[in-house]
């Protein structure tokens, strides 16, 4: 099966930029998933993969006419930052105070960022998309997020 277009189940500007820079043609479709559907049990890799898989399940897949073919590749992903020393997970800040709290944690020690991905191949069969194959994985990086004290208010 030949795939000429990736379906990205994410509105993340950074993921879209990565695909553009890699010259991978894609379209985006929204998901109706919430991170609250996944429960963090201490295994960050399993957690981010679970979130990516929940996103995959919540996608409204486009009709096969959009592709002019009866198969497609779909990618979903989610990233979570963790402060390893306290095991605190950092999501999107709720407000400026929450952002300040996160920034303080980030300034204390290195942070772990982990991204979970779910890649599925679908084939149109009858009148619906059927899952053919699936690959899930996670990748991580340790980051030092150093913002000098005099730049904290500017950053926030």
């Amino acid at each position: 099966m030949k795939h000429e277009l990736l379906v990205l189940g994410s509105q993340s500007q950074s993921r879209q930029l990565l695909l553009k820079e890699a010259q991978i043609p894609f379209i985006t479709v929204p998901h109706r998933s919430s991170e609250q559907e996944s429960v963090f049990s201490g295994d960050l890799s399993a957690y981010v993969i679970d979130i990516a898989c929940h996103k995959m399940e919540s996608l409204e897949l486009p009709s096969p006419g959009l592709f002019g073919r009866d198969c497609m590749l779909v990618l979903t992903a989610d990233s979570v930052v963790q402060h390893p020393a306290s095991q605190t997970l950092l999501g999107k800040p709720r407000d400026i105070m929450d952002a300040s709290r996160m920034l303080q944690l980030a300034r204390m020690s290195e942070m772990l960022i982990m991204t979970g991905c779910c890649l599925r191949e679908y084939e149109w069969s009858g009148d619906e998309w059927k899952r053919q194959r699936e690959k899930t994985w996670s990748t991580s990086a340790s980051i030092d997020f150093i913002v000098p004290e005099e730049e904290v208010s500017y950053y926030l």
Side-chain angles (χ1 to χ4, degrees):
M1 292 183 193
K2 185 178 178 186
H3 303 282
E4 297 174 357
L5 183 68
L6 177 71
V7 176
L8 178 63
S10 172
Q11 301 304 311
S12 165
Q13 295 300 315
S14 57
R15 286 188 189 87
Q16 292 177 33
L17 182 60
L18 284 170
L19 292 172
K20 286 176 186 172
E21 288 181 358
Q23 298 180 346
I24 297 172
F26 69 95
I27 62 165
T28 60
V29 294
H31 65 85
R32 298 176 308 278
S33 179
S34 166
E35 289 180 12
Q36 285 73 33
E37 295 175 32
S38 299
V39 177
F40 179 61
S41 62
D43 182 343
L44 191 56
S45 175
Y47 180 61
V48 292
I49 289 171
D50 192 54
I51 295 171
C53 289
H54 273 103
K55 284 182 179 182
M56 183 68 73
E57 295 302 325
S58 76
L59 295 177
E60 190 170 315
L61 299 174
S63 69
L66 178 66
F67 303 102
R69 58 186 62 240
D70 58 0
C71 61
M72 69 175 160
L73 285 176
V74 182
L75 175 67
T76 57
D78 196 78
S79 297
V80 173
V81 175
Q82 183 182 47
H83 181 249
S86 67
Q87 298 296 300
T88 302
L89 299 182
L90 306 176
K92 293 177 180 75
R94 293 179 299 276
D95 53 33
I96 193 94
M97 295 297 289
D98 195 34
S100 180
R101 176 191 65 83
M102 290 181 191
L103 189 56
Q104 285 301 106
L105 280 173
R107 294 176 72 206
M108 291 169 45
S109 63
E110 79 177 14
M111 304 293 274
L112 175 68
I113 183 166
M114 187 163 297
T115 300
C117 301
C118 181
L119 180 66
R120 279 191 189 163
E121 179 180 49
Y122 285 97
E123 188 172 304
W124 187 257
S125 178
D127 62 350
E128 66 181 344
W129 289 109
K130 303 266 185 171
R131 179 187 339 181
Q132 298 302 304
R133 293 183 286 176
E134 177 179 282
K135 172 78 175 160
T136 61
W137 70 96
S138 67
T139 187
S140 65
S142 294
I143 56 171
D144 287 315
F145 192 73
I146 302 168
V147 177
E149 186 65 39
E150 63 273 9
E151 294 180 19
V152 168
S153 60
Y154 173 76
Y155 180 79
L156 293 173

